Amino acid sequence: MKHFLRVLTQFLVFLYCKCLWQGLKFVVRKVTGRCELQRICYNNKPGARRTLKIESSLKCSKSELLQSAVSVHPDAVEKTIDDIMVLKKIHPDTNPQLGISLQACLFQIVGYRNLVLEVEKLRREPYDCENPEHEDMLMQLWKALRPESPLTGRISKQWCEIGFQGSDPKTDFRGMGLLGLHNLLYFSEHDKATALQMLHDSLQTKLSKMSKAEWEKKKFDKAIGYSFAIVGINITDLAYSLLVSGALKTHLYNVAPEMPSLVHFQQTFCYLMQEFHRFWVEEDPCDIMEFNRVRNKFHKRVLKQLKNLDMALCPHFTASDLHLVNL
């Protein structure tokens, strides 16, 4: 009986709050002469602050048109905005900037959704050693990280030099599929100097195995000691979890002026790799057995950063800098 009364009370409170909220929205519209979408666009700058509120407003709307707007095809975005303007009785001539702002937000929303699907497709595609394209990508990764060391064979202990666990890297891609390889290759080719430095650092032995003179000569501040490729696949998993959970919306809505793409995701991966490297050095773990602890702590720190709606993890460019209309 007590459980029933508690559930009933919660239900009645929910109904009261919902009715109160709808009534408040009605009063505010009458007083200001603006609908909720207008108020959001007028009171928030371009980026996550605006787009997240627009997304929430559309999803919580009673209108089927507004609810379905967040999942339309990109080609249908412009027509959807026109339909919303008609539904809300907003004349485009008197509110010319509103349509542009809503369109930018909707492109970000549907773009994020499509990015999740694209990333998921790559993650689900297993590495196939019989596929020439897969093998070619793997060879490109070796050449990018070991340009002066020819690979003696497809199956070789040399793969351990760049941080794979055994003689055949394909076994390490099982968790993240082709997504792990795509990210490692992108990092190694587009941020080559950093990738090579991280690989070099990761191969350094612990201080206990070196004399103090050798340590000072090499100028290492701290010992590293992790497997570069395996860490890359683990950080791919971290980036993937941030994406599918929606936590990465804050960052991507702030850096992608319209539709977030795979390149934005890969740039984010590069940032996370560099930041994890610094974090690992700061934590100075005893050995690789502490990897999960350090990774989980790093994950929590990134999640905390992403709660800031103005956060851009790697601001190569931001929505505000590209002069999106700010009502």
Side-chain angles (χ1 to χ4, degrees):
M1 187 64 179
K2 289 183 179 179
H3 177 70
F4 171 75
L5 290 175
R6 185 165 57 250
V7 172
L8 180 62
T9 302
Q10 291 174 344
F11 178 69
L12 291 175
V13 170
F14 169 76
L15 285 180
Y16 173 78
C17 292
K18 186 173 183 180
C19 292
L20 182 64
W21 175 244
Q22 292 296 334
L24 182 61
K25 285 171 61 177
F26 176 79
V27 171
V28 171
R29 172 152 192 173
K30 288 298 182 181
V31 172
T32 63
R34 297 172 180 170
C35 69
E36 185 176 37
L37 296 177
Q38 286 176 299
R39 295 195 301 272
I40 292 172
C41 287
Y42 273 88
N43 297 329
N44 297 274
K45 66 180 182 179
R49 287 189 177 274
R50 176 186 289 177
T51 302
L52 285 170
K53 289 180 180 179
I54 291 292
E55 186 174 15
S56 176
S57 177
L58 293 173
K59 287 181 177 179
C60 296
S61 173
K62 294 184 292 185
S63 165
E64 290 186 10
L65 171 63
L66 297 185
Q67 289 179 8
S68 62
V70 298
S71 57
V72 299
H73 190 277
D75 294 341
V77 166
E78 291 187 28
K79 183 181 183 306
T80 300
I81 295 301
D82 292 338
D83 292 341
I84 290 175
M85 299 283 278
V86 171
L87 176 68
K88 292 294 184 179
K89 298 179 182 179
I90 302 172
H91 200 283
D93 292 338
T94 56
N95 294 272
Q97 296 179 320
L98 179 64
I100 298 173
S101 297
L102 286 176
Q103 180 174 302
C105 290
L106 201 53
F107 268 126
Q108 287 186 315
I109 293 166
V110 300
Y112 191 96
R113 179 174 176 270
N114 290 342
L115 175 59
V116 171
L117 296 175
E118 184 178 6
V119 167
E120 181 64 25
K121 183 179 179 181
L122 284 173
R123 188 189 73 84
R124 288 179 175 273
E125 185 174 356
Y127 183 90
D128 182 4
C129 57
E130 300 298 324
N131 188 318
E133 292 183 5
H134 296 188
E135 287 287 283
D136 183 58
M137 289 176 62
L138 188 60
M139 293 304 110
Q140 289 178 47
L141 178 64
W142 174 264
K143 291 176 182 177
L145 295 174
R146 278 286 184 261
E148 298 178 0
S149 302
L151 193 63
T152 57
R154 169 62 180 78
I155 307 297
S156 171
K157 284 291 185 182
Q158 286 178 282
W159 291 111
C160 296
E161 296 177 16
I162 60 173
F164 286 103
Q165 294 184 107
S167 301
D168 192 350
K170 76 172 185 179
T171 59
D172 294 326
F173 292 120
R174 283 176 294 193
M176 285 288 106
L178 275 191
L179 184 63
L181 178 55
H182 270 274
N183 279 353
L184 280 169
L185 183 58
Y186 183 91
F187 183 38
S188 300
E189 291 185 338
H190 289 81
D191 203 352
K192 192 168 186 175
T194 304
L196 289 174
Q197 184 61 54
M198 282 180 59
L199 174 61
H200 173 267
D201 292 348
S202 72
L203 294 171
Q204 303 313 309
T205 56
K206 299 297 288 181
L207 177 59
S208 59
K209 297 181 180 179
M210 303 172 64
S211 69
K212 185 176 180 180
E214 289 176 319
W215 182 262
E216 292 177 347
K217 183 179 180 181
K218 289 181 178 290
K219 297 180 180 180
F220 297 136
D221 293 329
K222 297 215 176 177
I224 308 298
Y226 61 71
S227 300
F228 177 83
I230 297 300
V231 166
I233 294 171
N234 268 279
I235 297 302
T236 293
D237 177 64
L238 189 151
Y240 167 78
S241 68
L242 292 173
L243 180 73
V244 298
S245 70
L248 214 51
K249 286 181 179 180
T250 302
H251 163 67
L252 290 178
Y253 287 167
N254 281 329
V255 301
E258 287 192 344
M259 293 182 64
S261 66
L262 184 61
V263 170
H264 293 110
F265 178 75
Q266 291 173 321
Q267 289 174 343
T268 305
F269 166 78
C270 294
Y271 166 84
L272 291 173
M273 279 289 284
Q274 295 177 54
E275 288 302 300
F276 180 79
H277 178 77
R278 295 190 186 98
F279 191 73
W280 179 271
V281 173
E282 291 169 5
E283 287 292 303
D284 193 22
C286 295
D287 53 44
I288 196 63
M289 298 304 292
E290 290 193 69
F291 178 81
N292 286 336
R293 177 189 66 78
V294 177
R295 180 191 183 278
N296 290 338
K297 190 173 179 180
F298 177 71
H299 189 186
K300 290 178 181 178
R301 189 178 78 164
V302 175
L303 283 173
K304 184 177 180 181
Q305 290 176 319
L306 291 171
K307 288 181 180 179
N308 176 4
L309 296 183
D310 296 317
M311 184 64 187
L313 295 177
C314 44
H316 299 288
F317 52 89
T318 64
S320 300
D321 291 340
L322 292 184
H323 310 293
L324 292 187
V325 177
N326 191 358
L327 298 182

